[in-house]
Structures are given as structure tokens and as C-alpha cells.
Amino acid sequence: MDGIKYAVFTDKSIRLLGKNQYTSNVESGSTRTEIKHWVELFFGVKVIAMNSHRPPGKGRRMGHTMHYRRMIITLQPGYSIPPLRKKRT
């Protein structure tokens, strides 16, 4: 799971959960086929579609670019990814 950084929880991504679509940030060098393979292998689900985009960077001078892409992964009906929770101590 080197390419997937973390799950994204925004207003839009929470709305998309109802459509069986999951949002996560991935490394910019990863390809769609790599991400699809990692998600299917790690979570045991079937991916039917993937959309990606680069979020706009913060306004800096020297041409700073984002080092990740945001992927919206659509799963087949009947499959889901369990929520990742961190235990509080």
C-alpha cells in the first residue's frame, strides 16, 4: 500500500459514500492500474471506476506543486471498505 496515503473525509466525500464511492489521496507517481490493484488486493473488493484529479495547491511563489492526487474509487454494489479508526488511549 505504498501509493495510497490516506482517506479523505470532506462534505463531498461523505456524500459520495452513499453512492458506494470512496475518496483517498494517493502519491502522484502511482498509476490507475496500480491503485486499482492495491485496493482490490488489500480490501478484497471489486473496483468498477476510478476518477482522479489534482487539488489546487496553496498560493506560493516558486511553483510549488502538490505531491499527491485525489482518487474517487467506485465499488461494485454489495462491496464496501470498512472505516479505518484509530483507537484513543
Side-chain angles (χ1 to χ4, degrees):
M1 296 291 291
D2 293 332
I4 299 175
K5 289 189 169 192
Y6 51 86
V8 176
F9 296 104
T10 61
D11 290 338
K12 181 179 179 179
S13 67
I14 292 172
R15 271 196 324 266
L16 291 175
L17 288 174
K19 297 179 182 179
N20 212 18
Q21 295 179 338
Y22 295 85
T23 307
S24 63
N25 286 344
V26 298
E27 293 190 21
S28 61
S30 302
T31 63
R32 288 177 185 244
T33 54
E34 289 175 346
I35 299 298
K36 180 179 178 181
H37 177 70
W38 288 331
V39 169
E40 288 180 345
L41 185 67
F42 187 74
F43 294 110
V45 296
K46 297 289 182 183
V47 176
I48 58 173
M50 297 179 68
N51 297 327
S52 68
H53 72 279
R54 290 186 192 271
K58 296 183 178 179
R60 296 199 174 127
R61 292 184 185 198
M62 305 300 287
H64 177 74
T65 59
M66 302 305 274
H67 298 289
Y68 64 89
R69 288 187 312 183
R70 186 160 291 165
M71 298 289 290
I72 300 175
I73 302 166
T74 306
L75 304 180
Q76 281 186 353
Y79 288 97
S80 65
I81 295 176
L84 301 174
R85 294 186 180 174
K86 183 179 177 183
K87 289 186 178 181
R88 293 185 180 192
T89 56

